[in-house]
Amino acid sequence: MEIALLNKIVRKAGIKNVTSLKRISSGRNNLVFEINGRYILRLNTAFDSDFFKESEVSMQLKGVNVPKLIYRDFSKSISPHDIVITVKIEGKTLAEKWLDYDDYRKKESIRQLALGLEKIHNQKIGDFAFLFNKTAWTEKIHNYILDC
């Protein structure tokens, strides 16, 4: 990823005084960067991005610890990828800690995840039917293969 493009994205997002911009190795479908130790920049490199859906829903969630959205751009005018910038949530990922946990801590982590999912499930938020393409996933994959 070109540093000039990353700097252009960060400036467009209104983040000033960039002192550090480093690539984070995690991210299955995304290029992920940390900005100033405070923000996370994600560029979707998959053929079928869910960034728009994710950002629409996360902006309406209340009482759920999700990263605060700072900037999003799906126009592909700056980058060939969808762009999302959020505030970084401090801490280790569950994947980093899981093997160190005893059985009790693993069960407690699963319980906490279930409680978080319950909070999301019980949210009173707008109608998001417009976010979901009615095309079956298998058809999407088939069409993607045909386009290759």
Side-chain angles (χ1 to χ4, degrees), residues 30-53:
N30 309 314
L31 295 174
V32 183
F33 299 87
E34 182 182 287
I35 306 165
N36 291 350
R38 292 189 57 204
Y39 306 103
I40 299 296
L41 162 63
R42 295 167 46 215
L43 302 170
N44 184 275
T45 58
F47 74 94
D48 189 15
S49 171
D50 282 332
F51 276 12
F52 178 76
K53 294 178 200 176

Side-chain angles (χ1 to χ4, degrees), residues 31-137:
L31 295 174
V32 183
F33 299 87
E34 182 182 287
I35 306 165
N36 291 350
R38 292 189 57 204
Y39 306 103
I40 299 296
L41 162 63
R42 295 167 46 215
L43 302 170
N44 184 275
T45 58
F47 74 94
D48 189 15
S49 171
D50 282 332
F51 276 12
F52 178 76
K53 294 178 200 176
E54 175 187 313
S55 64
E56 284 292 309
V57 173
S58 72
M59 287 189 300
Q60 292 196 39
L61 292 175
K62 306 285 186 263
V64 179
N65 192 17
V66 295
K68 180 181 177 191
L69 183 67
I70 298 298
Y71 177 79
R72 65 183 189 163
D73 184 338
F74 310 111
S75 69
K76 306 221 180 351
S77 62
I78 300 172
S79 165
H81 309 295
D82 289 342
I83 303 165
V84 169
I85 299 178
T86 59
V87 172
K88 180 182 177 183
I89 294 179
E90 290 298 327
K92 301 272 187 193
T93 65
L94 185 57
E96 291 173 300
K97 300 297 289 179
W98 189 256
L99 293 177
D100 296 332
Y101 286 170
D102 61 19
D103 285 343
Y104 172 80
R105 187 67 186 119
K106 287 179 180 178
K107 288 177 185 174
E108 180 60 17
S109 296
I110 292 168
R111 187 185 73 75
Q112 288 176 11
L113 286 170
L115 289 173
L117 291 172
E118 179 183 29
K119 283 182 182 178
I120 292 170
H121 178 76
N122 290 329
Q123 292 285 311
K124 303 290 187 236
I125 53 181
D127 180 12
F128 290 107
F130 72 96
L131 294 177
F132 301 100
N133 185 340
K134 304 294 190 250
T135 306
W137 181 249

